[in-house]
Structures are given as C-alpha cells and as structure tokens.
Amino acid sequence: MNIVQLKKLSYDEVAKCNKCGFCLPSCPTYLVKKAESYSARGRNAITRFAIENKLELNEDTERAIFTCLGCGACTAVCLSSVQTKDLIFQNRECQVDAGFYPKVAKRLVKILEESHNISDEDQEDRAEWQELIKELPEDAFEKETADVVFFVGCVASFFPMVQKIPANMAKIMQSAGVDFTILGGEEWCCGFPLIGAGMPEKLAAMKDHNLKKVAKVGAKTIVFTCPSCYHTWHHFYKSDAKLMHASQLILELIKDKKIEFNKNIKGVATYHDPCDLGRNTGVYEEPREIIKAIPGLEFVELPMNRKFSVCCGGGGNVEMTDPDLSAQVAQTKLASIKAVGADTVLTACQQCVRTMETRAKRSKTDLVVKDLTQLVIEAME
Amino acid sequence: MDKQKLIASLNEIVGPDNVLSSEMDLMLYSYDASLDKAKPDVVVLPDSTEEVSKIMALAYKEKIPILGRGSGTNLTGGTVPIKGGIVVHFSRMNRILEIDYANRTATVQPGVITLDLQTEVLKKGFVYQPDPASQKVSTIGGNVSENSGGPHCLKYGVTSNHVQGLEVVLNDGTVINTGGKARDNAGYDITALVVGSEGTVGLVTKAILKLERAPESVKTLLAIFDAIEDGANTVSAIVAEGIIPATLEMMDNTVMRAVEETIKVGYPLDAACVLIIELDGMPEGMDDNASKIVEICRQNHVRDVRLAKDEAERNVLWAGRKGAFGSVGQVRPSYLCCDGTVPRTKLPEVLNQVIEIGKKYNLPIGNVFHAGDGNLHPLIMFDERDEDERSRVLKASTEILKACADAGGTISGEHGVGMEKLKETAFIFNECDLEFERQIKRAFDPDDIINPGKMIPANS
Ligand SMILES: Cc1cc2nc3c(=O)[nH]c(=O)nc-3n(C[C@H](O)[C@H](O)[C@H](O)COP(=O)(O)OP(=O)(O)OC[C@H]3O[C@@H](n4cnc5c(N)ncnc54)[C@H](O)[C@@H]3O)c2cc1C
Ligand code: SF4
Ligand code: SF4
C-alpha cells in the first residue's frame, strides 16, 4: 500500500485522534519503554504525519509501528473510539511497500507460502501432539466427515510446550462424545501472522484452502483452541459454519452434563483474558463460567480484566521482532498476577501460555500457567 | 552548540538509550493535547534529580531552550517547544518515594500518574484531592505546573492547596527545596510561585503533597433540567444558601449525547442540561443538606433529581463526566476547549453568549464544566484539517474568553495560558501587571531558556 492509498483508507479514522493521551497508561509497550513512539498516541501521530507528508517512513517508523502488540487496549479506553490497532496494521502494509519492515516478517511469509505453517516444519507432523494421548482411536481423529472440525493452529501443533492443549481438547471432546475431526496435514496456517506482518493480501490462498477442506468434511461447527485463529476466521473468512472457541464448546458440554468434574482443585487462580479472544472477539464470560464450575478452586479477578485486560506480551508478532520488549511486557503481566495473590494463572490461548510460562521460568517466578483445557482435564480425572 | 555535540553530552548524562533525536522522535514530541506544534532538537528521559540538574546546567551553559514534559495532555501548548531545544520527558521519574500517613504527606517524583498515587493511598483510606478529568494519565509534575483542578476542587481547592513542598532544579542546575512536611514555612512562599508557573521558572523533580482522610460518606445526585438557565440559577442558589457541595458540575445536551456514544451512563438525552452534585463528609447532616439541595432544584424548575444508589452507579455517573472531553470526538474529530471563569451569578448570561458565538461562527459547541466554580469549558468541535473552520474556531475562542473577562471573570480556570492564550492575557492584565510577571521570570531565568514563549506575552 502506498501513502495515497493509506490516506484514503486511514486519514479520517486517524484524524479522530485528538492527542488526549488517555491511551498512554493502557499501552503495554509505552509502559515499558516510556517514550512516545511506543505509545498508541505516538503511533497514530506517525500515521497521520506520514499521510500529511510530514514524515517519511524509515527504519525508525518501522521500529515504532512493528512493536505494537495489536492488543487493542488503547481503543478500549479511547473516548473517540479510534481504531488504533487497525490503523497500525494498515500502516504496516505501507511500511512493507516502502521496504521498511522486519527481516523476520519477510522470512515468515516465505515459510508460510512454502510450508503452510509458521514453523517451517513438515505438514505431516501437524498431528504429532496425538502422541501425548494414550488411547488414540484408530482413525487418529482424522475422519472423512464429522459434525465438528477442530482447527488446531500452528503454534499448538508445533511447539512442544503447548502441544498438550490440543491433546487435552481432543480428550475432552472424545470423552463427551463429540463427533469431531482434525484436518491433519491438510490444515494450513490461518494466515493471522500475515495481517500482523502487513501483508494481509497474502492471506487469500490460505483462506481458500482451509475453507475448501472444511467444506469437504461437511462440518457445521469449527472449534478453535487458538483465539487468533478464531479471531481471523471471524473477521477475515466467510464461512457458513458456526465458529466456536474451545471455551464456548466446553461450557456447552458442561451445561449438557456431557462432562463432569469429580476432582477438587486446590489453590488460588486468576484468569488472563487473551486479547484476541476477549477484547477483539468479545468472549469474556464462558471461560469464567468454566472456572467457577470447577470444584474447590478459589478465583480472583485481575484489576484490569475483560475489556481492559493487559496483553501478555505475545501479540502482534512482537515476540519475533523485539523479543526483549515482549519479555518485559510479560514480566509486567506476571507482576500484576502475583499482586492479586494467585498461585495459578489460567488462560485460553497457547500463545499466552507460552509467553507467560517462558517468562515465569526465566525469571524464576513461582507461578503455574495453565490453559483452561488442562484445568478441565484435571478436574475430570 | 552543534547538535551532534549536544547529543553526545546528553548521552553522557543519561545514556544513549534515553536520548531521542531521530526525525520521527522529534515529530512525536512536537505536540500535546492542544492544536499547536513545534519540534524540539532533542528529547531526554532522565532518571534522577542529579541527571536533570546536569541537563539543566548544560542548557544554561550553552543557552539552549529547555522544557519539562509529563504526559503531554495540557490543552494550551505548554509542552510545545516553540523555540526548539531540549524536551525533558519525565516518564521514567515515576516513583512514589514515600507515603507518610502519620504526617499525611506523599513525596513523589514528577512523572507519577495522578491516579496511581490516588489508588495507592486509597488502600489506606486516604485521598489526594485534586482530580482533573485527565487524572488517569496526567502527571503530578504537569498538575503542579498547570495548577490543575477538577470537580472536587470546589470544596477542596485546586492543586496549589495540596502541595506542601517542592524540589526544583533552577536555570543553572542548582537544586533547591521549597516548603516541606511542616505546614508553616518561613520566607517567601516559593512553592506557591512555582505551582501554576507552567514550567517557566524551573524543572520540578519532587513534590511533597498533602493527603487527607477519605470522606466517611458520599451522596451523588443527578439533577435534570429542561432549560440551561434553570440549571445555572440552581448553582448560584445552592452556594448562596451556604452549602458547599464537594462538586457542582454541569453538562449540556450536546455533551451528554456524545458521552452516551461511548460510555452508557443513561443520561436523559432529551434534557437541556444536568448537574452532578456530590456531597461528602460525615454522615450526620448530610440528609439535611441533600433535602435542601433538592428543594432548591425544585424552586428552579428541575424535572427530576436522581440519587446514585450505590458505588457502581456513582462511578458510572463520573465516568461519563470524566470522559466528556474525549467523547466529543464522536461528533467532530477535533475540539478546542475554552477555559474561562466567571462569577457564578453570571453563568446564565455568559452561557447564552457562548451559544450566540457558536451560531455566529457556525460551529457546534458543547458545555461541560465546573459550574460551582464558575469555570466554563465550552468545547468547540471542528475538523483540524479544515483551514477555514480552524480559523473560525480561533476567533470564536477569543470571543468567548473576552465574554468571560467582560463578565468580571478570567481567561483561565485551570488549563493555563501556554502559547494558546497569550494574546488574551490583555483582557485581564494591564501592562504593569505583565511587566511585573516578566520581572519575576527574569529573576529565575534571565536568559529566557526555560519553556520560553509561554504564559507571559513578549514585551510589545
Ligand atoms: C481530555 C482532557 C481532560 C482534561 N481535564 C482537565 C481538568 O479537568 N482539569 C485540569 O486542570 N486540566 C485538565 N486537562 C489538562 C491537563 O490534563 C492538565 O493540565 C494536566 O495537569 C497536565 O499534565 P501532564 O502530565 O500531561 O503535563 P504536560 O502536558 O506534559 O505539561 C503541562 C505543563 O507542565 C510543565 N511541566 C510538566 N512537568 C514538569 C516538571 N516536572 N517540571 C516543570 N514543568 C513541568 C510543562 O512544561 C507544561 O508547561 C485535561 C486535558 C485533557 C486532554
Ligand atoms: S488514540 Fe484515543 S485515547 Fe489515544 S490519544 Fe488518540 S484520542 Fe486520545
Ligand atoms: S494495540 Fe496495544 S500495543 Fe498497540 S498501540 Fe494499542 S495498546 Fe499499544
């Protein structure tokens, strides 16, 4: 996208930013870096100055624009409702056209086009997580037709630390008698990282492929453990199937008494709203209802919850473009969790689990990080 | 001094990570929440008084303009470096140094966010009173420099009434301490002079603030009126009765509509205006005062008076009020807030003039303000990108401030003069007044390097 196109697309929206600064204390990257270029107000000013030809896009603007987590916390507090995250992603398209974008983004696109997953692994290994399941059915969860498609997503497929998430979700559905299938090697990356990389037009091929595969299975419902896949399908795919996040399906299963909890879980837990699940797609209550249905567990809210939840540091590809910044944001998140006296943080996203668990280990923070699927399995056993 | 040398010297003081000089960074420190813009030569993010002192000494030696910046939310161009030079961003100096509950003081660095301090002391049942609508982002350094006020300042006074002492870095880098934890101090009241000086006499690096016990009980009323005059008359009648509520805020129909777009408060959208009246203190006598207020409202043709049932309802009412400025962004992308003060009894008259001025220049104007203080905040809504509209806005703003001054009021309630209202100082000061202010400024800063071009118009 060039500046003229950016002006057409973004000028009216960015002009709504009256520089009041109310977003500063909500922007996780500003709180860490404490300089205007790392704030939502600053990033909007960059877009506006660029459109008005007062500032050229270069390595500096690249750093500012590509360190946004895409978390949307700024818009949640903005009284003019400026859609800053979208503006920043549009600006990224411009940065890409001007040749100023992170090398890792370039590599990512190549990998996605060639391997169809973010890890540059063999697609055949997509279902490797099944090895974690003791009583794997003969079809290994890959059926010709099924009511439900379980869209696993790249991160949970390939990162060993979080492979237990799809394994647990599969076990939950299996024990509740849900007729589901996975797409295995035929599941391609949903394309979400491309939006963050400023190349949303490249998403089309992945979308077409995934839609075709789901149609072939004839599923009426697609379930996601990954909030970003879920968000991407919601906002960028046009699918007739019903889209559900894992937490929504699990809650239904609880209400229908298809799964039951037999075990008391000890401890004090809080819940971290993943940005793409909560603020960016609107699912806040289902995870909380599940947690409250677990016997024994004490639950405390974080002071910044639901719409105002603070990003874990894992959003917007920042983990790739500026790992230190991502880690510092994560550290702040851990501190806020410890401050409410929780020994466990629950969440509903493999990326949040990875970011927080890695940081907790590195900083020797005494905190258990769990995906909801794991909590549910533990309470069922 | 050559720019590269300046950067190198600053690098030595604060480390290269805390010196910003790219074209992008300079553009990003060219603005605040006002409409003005000008680029600095360099931005520094110090971490201690010592560093600030060294930066100031360097600026002094090289005669480089310098100004302090908190969150850049002021509305009058206070942090816009019109003469270039160094911007000192206090974002890293954001520590609460000490809370001394026994002496009821908090000692903080200038970059502490107002609400962060308030949240911290409330845990122990204390309050730091000044509550500008921007409290969740504004800094103590900014509040002190602008002498900021807020709804509760009707009863409790503005920032100057809550600052007991300061640490200030003077023009040549000397660090002085004014006031202290004790209430009475000998000598000139330098604290009072620095508070409200809009960053023109030195850089504030520490503030000793007054804490008070949180009130035992609070009652919040929403009075709904079908005519602005009725609301305005109610305000002066309440004060005339001898009741000083904690707040007496007015919001007109235009603003209520804008607020409802973002925060669902449940304001009556067919009413002309509402008053948010809050009483606080000991529970005894509160019901009495509340009934008196309701009676006064009735005498002034109120449509309805609602009482906030609980803390949640009260919070929602206030969220609407505090979000009012930003919400007008739902109507037009930009706004200019005219901050004039008039004697309370003149409110109905001046409000009418404001409406007329809006009509004359064909501009939407919303009103949301500290009615109890007679502190008006007409918000003129427009699109900054439209040159013609912009010039009409500036004319309308000057006329509104003139109307306030003519009514026996003043041109700034709490947002300062900055660079935006220099011309309008002539409405309230004569040449002798202004010259005396210049003398004071010269005593602190003979070279005119500390936030130059602000608050006092140049000699004509
Ligand atoms: C939506 C909105 C609502 C607002 N509501 C109110 C309100 O209700 N009441 C009110 O009074 N104001 C209000 N304001 C104005 C503004 O928020 C206040 O003036 C606030 O005190 C500024 O704080 P800041 O940290 O942003 O200071 P800045 O804007 O960064 O600076 C303000 C001035 O202080 C100087 N300064 C800052 N720090 C220092 C320091 N350490 N040493 C020396 N000088 C320094 C600067 O040079 C500048 O002149 C509002 C603004 C907005 C955008
Ligand atoms: S994005 Fe919204 S909250 Fe942030 S400065 Fe702009 S208008 Fe204010
Ligand atoms: S989306 Fe998140 S990281 Fe990006 S500007 Fe907004 S608050 Fe900051």
Side-chain angles (χ1 to χ4, degrees):
Chain A
M1 186 182 313
N2 59 32
I3 295 288
V4 179
Q5 290 163 316
L6 184 68
K7 179 168 183 178
K8 219 182 215 161
L9 193 65
S10 306
Y11 200 22
D12 282 339
E13 187 63 25
V14 82
K16 279 165 58 187
C17 171
N18 52 42
K19 305 186 261 74
C20 71
F22 275 42
C23 51
L24 297 186
S26 297
C27 176
T29 56
Y30 178 75
L31 291 180
V32 167
K33 293 285 192 175
K34 301 190 164 68
E36 188 78 11
S37 65
Y38 287 96
S39 72
R41 178 174 68 180
R43 291 176 176 124
N44 281 335
I46 291 172
T47 299
R48 180 160 187 174
F49 287 139
I51 288 174
E52 292 172 349
N53 292 317
K54 291 176 184 154
L55 182 67
E56 272 183 25
L57 300 182
N58 58 20
E59 296 87 356
D60 298 314
T61 60
E62 170 188 324
R63 182 180 43 71
I65 294 297
F66 277 92
T67 47
C68 164
L69 298 158
C71 70
C74 43
T75 304
V77 297
C78 174
L79 296 156
S80 308
S81 314
V82 178
Q83 300 298 311
T84 301
K85 166 172 78 77
D86 297 345
L87 287 166
I88 289 170
F89 285 177
Q90 286 156 7
N91 186 329
R92 283 186 184 179
E93 293 183 50
C94 237
Q95 291 275 161
V96 168
D97 260 19
F100 295 105
Y101 64 106
K103 301 288 158 301
V104 288
K106 203 180 276 182
R107 220 179 57 231
L108 178 79
V109 175
K110 194 159 166 281
I111 290 173
L112 282 184
E113 282 179 340
E114 287 167 6
S115 315
H116 307 307
N117 64 65
I118 55 163
S119 303
D120 207 9
E121 303 265 358
D122 193 337
Q123 277 286 91
E124 291 315 306
D125 293 339
R126 256 204 189 263
E128 200 184 66
W129 52 268
Q130 293 179 334
E131 290 166 16
L132 298 171
I133 299 177
K134 281 196 208 93
E135 289 152 40
L136 193 66
E138 256 172 50
D139 60 12
F141 302 130
E142 287 187 56
K143 303 182 191 165
E144 298 270 319
T145 60
D147 293 343
V148 176
V149 164
F150 172 24
F151 196 90
V152 180
C154 300
V155 175
S157 298
F158 294 109
F159 287 78
M161 182 188 248
V162 286
Q163 280 176 334
K164 56 181 179 282
I165 295 176
N168 286 334
M169 185 62 192
K171 281 199 264 180
I172 294 168
M173 290 193 288
Q174 192 183 19
S175 98
V178 177
D179 173 29
F180 77 99
T181 180
I182 56 170
L183 298 177
E186 288 299 344
E187 179 187 305
W188 285 10
C189 170
C190 70
F192 175 74
L194 292 167
I195 302 162
M199 297 173 242
E201 74 288 349
K202 294 203 168 25
L203 184 134
M206 295 161 182
K207 182 174 93 175
D208 292 347
H209 172 88
N210 286 327
L211 282 172
K212 220 183 308 152
K213 292 297 158 190
V214 169
K216 208 169 136 209
V217 173
K220 287 184 210 64
T221 303
I222 312 172
V223 65
F224 305 84
T225 40
C226 170
S228 299
C229 295
Y230 174 58
H231 169 78
T232 304
W233 275 74
H234 245 287
H235 291 260
F236 299 93
Y237 282 40
K238 278 203 174 63
S239 165
D240 298 329
K242 180 176 174 194
L243 308 177
M244 289 181 101
H245 182 258
S247 58
Q248 297 174 310
L249 178 63
I250 293 173
L251 186 64
E252 261 188 29
L253 298 176
I254 296 174
K255 285 187 173 157
D256 295 347
K257 302 216 168 7
K258 299 263 174 58
I259 50 181
E260 270 167 25
F261 301 128
N262 309 309
K263 201 172 139 203
N264 256 328
I265 305 285
K266 286 196 200 70
V268 183
T270 188
Y271 174 68
H272 160 68
D273 287 274
C275 304
D276 278 334
L277 183 63
R279 193 160 42 229
N280 297 341
T281 322
V283 179
Y284 299 113
E285 300 313 323
E286 290 89 337
R288 290 178 166 77
E289 284 188 49
I290 295 174
I291 296 168
K292 286 174 187 161
I294 304 286
L297 193 63
E298 191 185 325
F299 177 64
V300 279
E301 286 281 6
L302 292 171
M304 305 296 268
N305 59 58
R306 296 183 171 82
K307 189 177 157 193
F308 302 111
S309 169
V310 182
C311 177
C312 67
N317 302 352
V318 175
E319 188 203 359
M320 284 186 268
T321 53
D322 191 341
D324 283 349
L325 176 59
S326 166
Q328 282 170 292
V329 172
Q331 195 68 53
T332 323
K333 182 82 214 186
L334 297 190
S336 72
I337 293 165
K338 291 303 283 183
V340 295
D343 51 47
T344 303
V345 57
L346 300 165
T347 189
C349 168
Q350 74 296 325
Q351 179 68 359
C352 300
V353 168
R354 269 184 71 227
T355 315
M356 293 192 286
E357 196 168 322
T358 308
R359 191 85 294 266
K361 278 197 184 122
R362 297 231 168 108
S363 63
K364 302 204 165 53
T365 307
D366 185 19
L367 182 71
V368 180
V369 184
K370 258 187 222 173
D371 189 79
L372 277 184
T373 47
Q374 188 184 340
L375 175 75
V376 167
I377 282 287
E378 284 170 4
M380 280 166 69
E381 276 162 1
Chain B
M1 195 184 200
D2 155 52
K3 191 164 160 183
Q4 286 316 313
K5 269 200 199 135
L6 171 65
I7 292 170
S9 311
L10 291 169
N11 280 347
E12 255 172 53
I13 302 173
V14 294
D17 282 353
N18 299 308
V19 179
L20 312 175
S21 62
S22 74
E23 180 60 18
M24 173 193 76
D25 281 316
L26 302 182
M27 288 297 279
L28 296 187
Y29 285 87
S30 70
Y31 57 76
D32 51 29
S34 74
L35 300 174
D36 309 298
K37 279 180 199 80
K39 266 191 308 180
D41 293 309
V42 62
V43 180
V44 275
L45 282 63
D47 195 33
S48 66
T49 303
E50 202 190 347
E51 287 180 358
V52 176
S53 160
K54 285 184 187 162
I55 298 165
M56 198 69 146
L58 176 70
Y60 178 68
K61 194 166 131 243
E62 304 293 340
K63 306 278 172 278
I64 303 165
I66 183 165
L67 66 78
R69 179 182 170 105
S71 292
T73 68
N74 79 87
L75 297 158
T76 48
T79 44
V80 172
I82 31 177
K83 302 261 165 78
I86 306 170
V87 165
V88 182
H89 187 193
F90 282 103
S91 54
R92 294 174 66 221
M93 288 179 66
N94 63 345
R95 301 174 193 93
I96 297 176
L97 300 171
E98 183 203 45
I99 302 178
D100 180 348
Y101 290 109
N103 285 306
R104 301 202 174 176
T105 59
T107 306
V108 303
Q109 289 188 319
V112 167
I113 305 276
T114 316
L115 186 64
D116 287 352
L117 173 67
Q118 289 165 330
T119 310
E120 191 55 38
V121 297
L122 192 61
K123 289 183 193 158
K124 291 265 167 21
F126 283 83
V127 285
Y128 167 67
Q129 287 291 0
D131 61 338
S134 51
Q135 74 204 114
K136 70 176 192 188
V137 52
S138 73
T139 65
I140 294 296
N143 291 176
V144 165
S145 302
E146 299 286 357
N147 193 9
S148 298
H152 287 79
C153 295
L154 172 63
K155 178 168 173 185
Y156 296 101
V158 288
T159 301
S160 59
N161 302 103
H162 302 269
V163 181
Q164 286 192 206
L166 294 172
E167 179 183 82
V168 185
V169 177
L170 299 179
N171 64 334
D172 61 353
T174 308
V175 181
I176 61 161
N177 285 284
T178 73
K181 284 191 188 177
R183 290 282 157 98
D184 298 306
N185 288 287
Y188 292 121
D189 192 351
I190 313 281
T191 311
L193 196 144
V194 176
V195 176
S197 66
E198 304 191 18
T200 61
V201 297
L203 294 178
V204 174
T205 44
K206 202 190 278 179
I208 302 174
L209 306 171
K210 188 158 94 186
L211 303 180
E212 283 162 29
R213 273 256 164 235
E216 272 178 38
S217 64
V218 180
K219 250 193 181 34
T220 311
L221 306 166
L222 184 75
I224 303 161
F225 295 89
D226 290 317
I228 297 247
E229 283 86 352
D230 291 336
N233 287 331
T234 304
V235 171
S236 21
I238 290 174
V239 182
E241 179 68 28
I243 307 170
I244 302 288
T247 78
L248 246 178
E249 298 285 300
M250 187 189 270
M251 198 183 290
D252 74 5
N253 183 278
T254 312
V255 174
M256 282 191 281
R257 282 177 186 281
V259 171
E260 285 294 326
E261 292 275 320
T262 34
I263 309 167
K264 300 276 169 280
V265 182
Y267 290 133
L269 293 184
D270 56 342
C273 72
V274 292
L275 291 177
I276 304 179
I277 310 169
E278 190 160 287
L279 293 164
D280 70 5
M282 310 283 267
E284 296 80 37
M286 195 171 276
D287 284 341
D288 255 12
N289 274 344
S291 334
K292 269 191 210 150
I293 287 175
V294 173
E295 185 46 40
I296 294 171
C297 289
R298 291 228 175 87
Q299 286 160 10
N300 287 285
H301 323 293
V302 73
R303 182 206 290 180
D304 189 15
V305 185
R306 293 183 199 159
L307 174 72
K309 277 200 305 286
D310 50 28
E311 191 60 16
E313 267 195 33
R314 171 174 181 257
N315 286 342
V316 160
L317 278 182
W318 280 116
R321 165 60 186 90
K322 299 218 161 141
F325 280 23
S327 298
V328 299
Q330 302 286 346
V331 184
R332 301 297 315 274
S334 327
Y335 67 85
L336 182 99
C337 171
C338 313
D339 170 38
T341 302
V342 299
R344 268 184 297 270
T345 47
K346 298 278 184 170
L347 275 176
E349 181 186 323
V350 177
L351 281 171
N352 271 329
Q353 281 173 285
V354 170
I355 294 169
E356 287 310 312
I357 294 168
K359 280 191 197 141
K360 176 170 159 194
Y361 289 102
N362 190 23
L363 293 164
I365 302 187
N367 281 292
V368 47
F369 59 101
H370 314 311
D373 290 325
N375 184 186
L376 294 172
H377 286 337
L379 298 164
I380 315 179
M381 297 166 234
F382 66 111
D383 188 336
E384 210 186 337
R385 296 173 293 176
D386 182 334
E387 273 306 320
D388 169 59
E389 225 176 36
R390 197 184 153 112
S391 71
R392 276 186 281 138
V393 168
L394 296 177
K395 283 188 199 139
S397 151
T398 304
E399 273 185 40
I400 289 173
L401 294 178
K402 182 85 172 55
C404 294
D406 288 349
T410 180
I411 59 161
S412 169
E414 57 188 19
H415 299 165
V417 173
M419 53 191 280
E420 207 136 80
K421 292 191 282 193
L422 285 173
K423 195 165 81 248
E424 287 81 1
T425 52
F427 298 159
I428 49 166
F429 295 128
N430 64 31
E431 195 42 40
C432 295
D433 301 338
L434 289 173
E435 189 45 38
F436 188 67
E437 287 208 25
R438 287 187 203 109
Q439 278 181 33
I440 293 176
K441 164 79 172 163
R442 278 197 293 271
F444 280 88
D445 177 25
D447 303 311
D448 195 23
I449 56 166
I450 310 176
N451 207 359
K454 307 290 169 66
M455 202 178 80
I456 318 166
N459 217 332
S460 46

